[in-house]
Amino acid sequence: MARQGNAAIIEQFLADGIPYMFGNPGTVEQGFLDELENYEDLQYILTLQETVAAGIADGYARATGRPALLQLHSGVGLGNAIGMLYQAKRGHSPILVIAGEAGVKYESMDAQMAADLVAMAEPVTKYATRVTDRDSVLRVLRRAMKIAMTPPRGPVFVSLPLDVLDELNSEPVIPSTFLSTASVPVPGLVEQAAALLAGAERPLVLVGDGVSASGGQAELTRVAEQLGAPIWGVDYSEVNLDARHPLYQGQLGHMFGEVSAARVAEADAVLVVGTYLFPEVFPQLENPFHPDAKIVHIDLDGYEIAKNHPVTLGLVADPKETLAALGEQLERVLTDEDRAAAAARLDAARAAQVTEVPDDGGLLHHFLRELAARVPEDVMVFDEALTSAGPLNEHLPGRFPGHWFSTRGGSLGVGIPGAIGIKLAHPDKTVIGFTGDGGSMYTIQALYTAVRYTVGAKFVVCNNRSYKLLDLNIEQYWRERGIEEHAHPKPFDLSHPELGFTDIARGYGVEAMRVERPDQVAEAVKRMLADDKPFLIDLRTGGEESRG
């Protein structure tokens, strides 16, 4: 049956099981936004700025593993969202981004807001295109949806001109096809991988979010235990294994290549799974591995294998299935001596494991200790705490798949909208977003959306009144260049004027409390967890008042 393209696209979204459209409205999208009022099963989630909409969509897609629908307003809206879409691309979030434009017939006029939207979107998406034929609208949307959901997943972009959507559309609505990519290498390659890893005296595992995407946490843990290999997170922002496992050593970091190089230099066998090497801002250009190291790299994204450094064996395959096959093969080929050595390394890791959380007596630790004691075991955390992330992940480590997420891609401002997206995906769970004072101000208006749609996520602003990470990074810069330490650059300071987070939150209708002394902690945590409404805590993590 023929109907306007405005109605047809909504029917397509519903056929694909999409419950929300995140966005900020604009004139050139008015046709399908007006039509949306006739469909109760697709809810528009209004945000006050496109960065917020993209951040919520990113959090929702990560928490569900399903595509999120993001609506942007032409070139200006896409421009606002570019930074957050870069984060989504680096993190492989399946987001279908749509943006309106005035119309194909106006293309030659070079009028106000005219822009090449596809060219703008291409650097921050996996696929970008424009619809110009009224009878190809749904076909293009289905193609984009398939591409977004095919590993390595990522955001895709479709420009939808107003005049094309105003025309009658007779395309049938068919659910999009999502491909199954669960695969394992041919047996001979699995045997080769096991032979390279078995018998290693200094094995190492480097892991990233490809494990989480495939659901291969249990398989990864088994293989690491069989090898007795320490595990380091590389491009790591979700739960790829229980952070309390004795073999898990933490994350290599994202800033300086020498940190990664020091950790991997002595390994004689390295298993890399679901990540690229290496994601630092200042990576080491030379190969950091030992010249004789045997390196096996498993990833569904063949582009990332041997992209920067050579490997001995690269397997383009599903991490979960390949790790399962590798575990079975190791069971067959490991000698008694191999097993005894692996068991000894595992026992040594257990013995060295710190069971008590370090506590410097500061307010941050006091608050996190109280919070950890009160939240349910299945609490969901979005970690954009940055310089406060160490204590956060000591008290509330990522243990269960799909329950811990952290920032990725370098974009600030993901903590608050990310937590809102996760809470929309899991309304029955306790969801807490941690952010910093600097990062929060990129997207603080997301609080409006939480209140408007009664999304009961909780927010903690770790407030050190500065861009503290920049302080730490410039200190490293000085050390490397032999520059005497001196006052940090003034643009790194956020103490003047004072950012009144409780006043800002209340202005959006969110209850809030400032915590600057230990005797305020218990009340703050109790109030935050008392109901399923949004709540914000301004936690002073810097200065004399932050110490108990």
Side-chain angles (χ1 to χ4, degrees):
M1 181 181 71
R3 70 286 197 216
Q4 269 195 331
N6 292 307
I9 65 170
I10 297 169
E11 293 170 7
Q12 182 64 50
F13 299 146
L14 290 172
D16 284 329
I18 293 179
Y20 301 114
M21 180 186 295
F22 307 103
N24 183 265
T27 303
V28 295
E29 298 85 20
Q30 60 192 358
F32 69 79
L33 293 178
D34 186 37
E35 185 66 33
L36 186 59
E37 295 295 306
N38 298 318
Y39 295 84
E40 295 182 355
D41 293 335
L42 180 56
Q43 183 180 10
Y44 191 91
I45 303 295
L46 173 66
T47 68
L48 300 182
Q49 207 262 8
E50 290 85 357
T51 305
V52 173
I56 295 177
D58 181 56
Y60 181 84
R62 294 179 69 178
T64 61
R66 295 275 305 168
L69 176 60
L70 172 62
Q71 174 265 320
L72 303 175
H73 173 46
S74 194
V76 290
L78 175 58
N80 285 339
I82 289 290
M84 199 64 76
L85 288 176
Y86 174 79
Q87 152 123 342
K89 183 182 181 184
R90 297 300 299 224
H92 305 300
S93 292
I95 302 174
L96 173 59
V97 186
I98 59 172
E101 57 175 275
V104 175
K105 64 184 178 182
Y106 301 118
E107 186 171 5
S108 65
M109 301 302 292
D110 193 25
Q112 181 166 297
M113 292 200 303
D116 187 341
L117 302 187
V118 173
M120 288 178 65
E122 279 179 334
V124 293
T125 57
K126 185 181 174 185
Y127 170 75
T129 191
R130 181 190 192 213
V131 177
T132 56
D133 174 43
R134 68 176 185 178
D135 293 321
S136 298
V137 176
L138 303 192
R139 177 183 294 110
V140 170
L141 288 174
R142 286 193 293 270
R143 179 186 305 155
M145 191 75 81
K146 181 197 75 169
I147 292 171
M149 287 294 290
T150 302
R153 295 175 176 179
V156 296
F157 175 82
V158 179
S159 176
L160 298 170
L162 184 148
D163 52 3
V164 174
L165 294 187
D166 278 345
E167 294 188 61
L168 289 179
N169 182 291
S170 58
E171 291 179 275
V173 173
I174 305 166
S176 297
T177 299
F178 299 153
L179 306 183
S180 173
T181 56
S183 58
V184 65
V186 296
L189 292 177
V190 177
E191 293 169 4
Q192 186 178 345
L196 289 168
L197 298 170
E201 297 179 359
R202 299 178 304 280
L204 191 68
V205 175
L206 303 177
V207 61
D209 288 339
V211 172
S212 174
S214 73
Q217 292 91 343
E219 292 77 7
L220 170 72
T221 302
R222 179 194 182 195
V223 168
E225 290 178 348
Q226 287 174 305
L227 297 172
I231 304 167
W232 285 96
V234 184
D235 190 30
Y236 193 109
S237 64
E238 298 187 3
V239 177
N240 298 292
L241 79 157
D242 185 343
R244 293 265 172 90
H245 194 285
L247 289 174
Y248 181 58
Q249 306 299 300
Q251 298 194 44
L252 292 180
H254 71 284
M255 288 301 301
F256 304 106
E258 59 264 28
V259 175
S260 300
R263 300 298 187 188
V264 308
E266 298 304 318
D268 59 352
V270 182
L271 174 61
V272 186
V273 190
T275 184
Y276 68 102
L277 301 177
F278 287 95
E280 300 98 352
V281 176
F282 303 105
Q284 182 165 301
L285 299 180
E286 298 80 17
N287 188 346
F289 296 103
H290 192 280
D292 297 326
K294 301 169 183 176
I295 302 173
V296 176
H297 194 156
I298 302 168
D299 204 315
L300 263 175
D301 188 357
Y303 172 73
E304 300 295 357
I305 298 174
K307 179 176 74 174
N308 294 323
H309 305 294
V311 302
T312 311
L313 177 64
L315 304 174
V316 182
D318 178 72
K320 176 182 175 69
E321 300 300 327
T322 306
L323 287 167
L326 179 59
E328 291 300 312
Q329 183 62 20
L330 286 171
E331 193 66 31
R332 288 189 285 269
V333 303
L334 288 172
T335 66
D336 290 342
E337 290 79 6
D338 293 336
R339 297 177 200 277
R345 289 190 289 268
L346 180 55
D347 288 342
R350 286 196 183 100
Q353 192 173 25
V354 177
T355 55
E356 292 187 6
V357 176
D359 192 335
D360 64 1
L363 184 61
L364 177 61
H365 276 281
H366 186 74
F367 173 81
L368 291 170
R369 186 170 59 249
E370 179 76 14
L371 182 63
R374 294 194 177 219
V375 293
E377 188 178 41
D378 65 350
V379 62
M380 302 183 76
V381 171
F382 195 107
D383 168 20
E384 195 199 12
L386 297 180
T387 55
S388 297
L392 170 60
N393 290 300
E394 289 166 353
H395 289 275
L396 290 170
R399 304 201 61 197
F400 308 112
H403 284 71
W404 177 87
F405 306 87
S406 74
T407 181
R408 55 193 181 186
S411 300
L412 284 179
V414 298
I416 293 177
I420 293 172
I422 293 168
K423 182 66 174 178
L424 279 167
H426 297 282
D428 297 330
K429 294 290 184 73
T430 299
V431 178
I432 307 175
F434 289 83
T435 185
D437 49 332
S440 68
M441 291 305 296
Y442 283 68
T443 53
I444 194 74
Q445 61 270 59
L447 297 177
Y448 171 89
T449 301
V451 173
R452 182 181 177 107
Y453 300 101
T454 60
V455 182
K458 315 297 181 181
F459 313 101
V460 178
V461 178
C462 299
N463 184 358
N464 54 34
R465 284 166 282 183
S466 69
Y467 291 117
K468 187 64 176 179
L469 186 62
L470 297 183
D471 290 347
L472 299 177
N473 288 346
I474 201 167
E475 289 169 7
Q476 172 77 9
Y477 176 86
W478 292 336
R479 286 191 294 270
E480 290 176 353
R481 289 155 179 80
I483 299 173
E484 185 176 346
E485 190 169 320
H486 52 276
H488 298 122
K490 292 184 179 66
F492 297 1
D493 175 59
L494 296 176
S495 64
H496 180 75
E498 192 80 19
L499 289 168
F501 287 103
T502 56
D503 293 333
I504 294 170
R506 291 178 188 131
Y508 286 115
V510 174
E511 284 298 309
M513 180 175 173
R514 175 184 291 183
V515 176
E516 49 194 351
R517 302 188 312 273
D519 61 7
Q520 297 172 312
V521 165
E523 178 191 355
V525 173
K526 182 179 179 180
R527 286 182 61 189
M528 182 170 72
L529 301 177
D531 54 38
D532 197 31
K533 296 179 181 178
F535 194 92
L536 182 142
I537 290 178
D538 175 6
L539 181 65
R540 296 306 182 98
T541 59
E544 290 302 317
E545 72 277 12
S546 70
R547 304 199 62 82

